[in-house]
Amino acid sequence: FTAGWVYTLAVEVSASLFESKKDYKSAIHFFQQLLFSPFCCGRRGYWWNRLAINFEHNGEKDEALRTCEQALQDEYVRSGDRLTIERRLDRLSSPPRKWKKPTHLY
């Protein structure tokens, strides 16, 4: 184990605790911090997904859309997480949202 891995795990657990307390702003801050770290690249899809969910809970649907778009451009997002993010993006982009679904999704 490395110090970065332990730090990443502690931040992820902290973000989950804030989510369970419905403190979505703090959880958003922690997930953004995780996405800027170079550790645990295999977890990035999960972090992007949780970040989009927290933006939704916080009432920031447009920011959730932008988060999903950024997540799909991340090269470290695995196929299962990519599918989940694409489904979330599809659901978020349904009317009355003013966003056009990219043609490369389906």
Side-chain angles (χ1 to χ4, degrees):
F1 299 110
T2 64
W5 183 87
V6 173
Y7 169 76
T8 302
L9 181 64
V11 173
E12 185 175 347
V13 169
S14 299
S16 298
L17 289 173
F18 280 115
E19 285 177 328
S20 67
K21 298 288 185 186
K22 299 187 187 320
D23 185 1
Y24 300 116
K25 286 191 183 251
S26 297
I28 287 169
H29 171 73
F30 279 115
F31 279 116
Q32 287 173 335
Q33 191 177 19
L34 285 169
L35 288 166
F36 286 120
S37 75
F39 304 106
C40 299
C41 293
R43 302 282 296 159
R44 291 180 65 83
Y46 173 77
W47 298 339
W48 281 113
N49 193 28
R50 293 307 310 170
L51 183 60
I53 289 170
N54 288 324
F55 277 127
E56 279 186 77
H57 287 312
N58 214 24
E60 302 175 47
K61 304 267 188 213
D62 292 331
E63 193 61 37
L65 273 170
R66 281 190 285 279
T67 299
C68 289
E69 289 173 341
Q70 288 175 344
L72 292 176
Q73 294 173 0
D74 189 344
E75 63 187 53
Y76 294 109
V77 176
R78 296 179 183 177
S79 59
D81 294 322
R82 183 171 298 278
L83 181 62
T84 303
I85 293 167
E86 285 177 356
R87 286 181 181 166
R88 179 167 311 287
L89 185 62
D90 190 35
R91 187 175 46 81
L92 284 169
S93 66
S94 63
R97 307 276 350 138
K98 294 179 181 175
W99 180 81
K100 294 180 182 173
K101 187 185 332 179
T103 56
H104 70 277
L105 285 182
Y106 297 105

